[in-house]
Amino acid sequence: MKYIDEFRQHDLAQQLAQRIAQTAHPDRHYRLMEFCGGHTHAIFRYGVQDLMPGNVEFIHGPGCPVCVLPTGRIDNAIQLVEQHDVILCTYADLVRVPASGRNSLLKAKAGGADIRMVYSTQDVLKIARDNPERQVVFFAIGFETTTPPTAVAIKQAQAEGLKNFSVFCNHVLTPAAMQAILDAPVPVAIDAFLGPSHVSTVIGSRPYEVFAAQYGKPIVIAGFEPLDVMQSALMLIHQLNEGRHQVENEYSRAVTRDGNQKAQALTAEVLELRPAFEWRGLGLIPHSALKLKPAYAAFDAEQRFDMPAIQASDVKGCECPAILRGAKKPQDCKLLGTVCTPENPMGSCMVSSEGACAAYWSYGRLRNEASNQSRKTD
Ligand code: SF4
């Protein structure tokens, strides 16, 4: 198959659903964590869960980069723009994530802070070139997919001698999060993982092999389309039935075992591991994020400006942390659809285009369940 529509074909989905139903043993439960927010959205958008037998369950993981950023880092960014008169550049989803005290980057912008939404790091460099008298800070977030462009921008700024550009680096690493989930003091029951797609195009499938071997968890690197997700689920069910735990690659049209080595080398040239980094829901995880190497310290916003670590708490009642660990689902949150909606988000999982609560809300699950419930009581 070559075209996107082919990965959404209804009749093939029905055939796959039949094969999954025939393959899944009725006497066991299959708990498959989809690591990536893109998979979560595919599952909700195309109703993939409804095509599964009742004993095959998708558990949503921490693979949404906006969702896992702790509130304190957003507070840092707001302080930075308000106290140092910088131009703060960021990707769109982040501006609506609640910060402390019911604040957000969007509210700070409405209050006069110079916060600009960008589509790429090249936009940020252009803003820096166009405003030589102002400091321009890029609020960099994301997993391994968005990290190489940040590294390129830093190298480019150095080559151009840009003195007013710096990066507030919040890039995080997928394998470290997977390890944290598996090592959690109160582990969530997970039988297998759907491995991330975009991230794996960069890092390859090799970094997951240690988890399959040491923790006995099958992993299938899965593409984003509904048939990808279903085919990957079938591959995981086969592995679980056969007692195997290997890394398999369903997304072979884009992912290799070693990934994009040029992108990896670029990242390694500019960025290095932090000793530890705070994740929303997962807490402090060792070696789970990146910072600028000393050779590029001049472009590190955390060194250029005073940015103390801020401990902040989430909105009371928001279950985002438990949802990101896979311990709860959006429907377990009492605020879902009452006080928390996409227009008035209380947590990051409702804001981000990859968040589980946004997916649950956007594709009508809440409304469907409410109408099913009312039919039952009629
Ligand atoms: S529904 Fe809103 S408040 Fe509840 S977990 Fe999701 S984002 Fe947080």
Side-chain angles (χ1 to χ4, degrees), residues 36 143-145 174-175 196-204 208 224 255:
C36 215
F143 289 96
E144 291 89 337
T145 329
T174 309
S197 2
H198 284 158
V199 162
S200 304
T201 62
V202 176
I203 66 172
Y208 308 106
F224 274 129
V255 172

Side-chain angles (χ1 to χ4, degrees), residues 318-320 323 333 335-336 340 346-347 349-350 357:
C318 171
E319 299 283 8
C320 284
I323 290 170
C333 178
L335 307 187
L336 177 76
C340 184
M346 293 291 124
C349 296
M350 185 58 94
C357 299

Side-chain angles (χ1 to χ4, degrees), residues 93-108:
D93 275 355
L94 202 51
V95 298
R96 297 178 61 241
V97 177
S100 293
R102 303 227 155 205
N103 204 357
S104 69
L105 288 166
L106 193 62
K107 286 182 184 166

Side-chain angles (χ1 to χ4, degrees), residues 3-142:
Y3 302 107
I4 243 178
D5 285 356
E6 296 173 308
F7 290 92
R8 298 176 182 173
Q9 286 181 59
H10 178 76
D11 52 337
L12 286 182
Q14 294 293 344
Q15 286 170 30
L16 262 174
Q18 258 181 20
R19 284 178 60 197
I20 289 169
Q22 285 159 0
T23 308
H25 294 165
D27 54 348
R28 72 176 289 181
H29 197 154
Y30 300 84
R31 289 157 299 207
L32 316 179
M33 175 175 267
E34 84 274 3
F35 199 86
C36 215
H39 289 142
T40 307
H41 272 249
I43 289 165
F44 281 111
R45 180 174 180 190
Y46 297 103
V48 174
Q49 180 70 72
D50 297 339
L51 292 170
M52 298 288 127
N55 57 338
V56 176
E57 179 191 5
F58 289 111
I59 297 171
H60 319 308
C64 159
V66 172
C67 302
V68 295
L69 191 70
T71 307
R73 299 294 278 187
I74 301 167
D75 291 344
N76 273 137
I78 292 172
Q79 278 189 1
L80 179 68
V81 73
E82 288 182 342
Q83 294 176 4
H84 297 276
D85 189 33
V86 305
I87 300 174
L88 185 80
C89 299
T90 187
Y91 297 131
D93 275 355
L94 202 51
V95 298
R96 297 178 61 241
V97 177
S100 293
R102 303 227 155 205
N103 204 357
S104 69
L105 288 166
L106 193 62
K107 286 182 184 166
K109 183 175 166 64
D114 196 346
I115 296 168
R116 303 190 191 182
M117 284 164 263
V118 292
Y119 291 104
S120 76
T121 52
Q122 292 305 309
D123 294 343
V124 189
L125 289 176
K126 181 170 185 314
I127 291 168
R129 287 186 208 109
D130 293 345
N131 296 275
E133 74 294 349
R134 304 273 312 276
Q135 285 293 323
V136 176
V137 178
F138 176 47
F139 191 171
I141 66 157

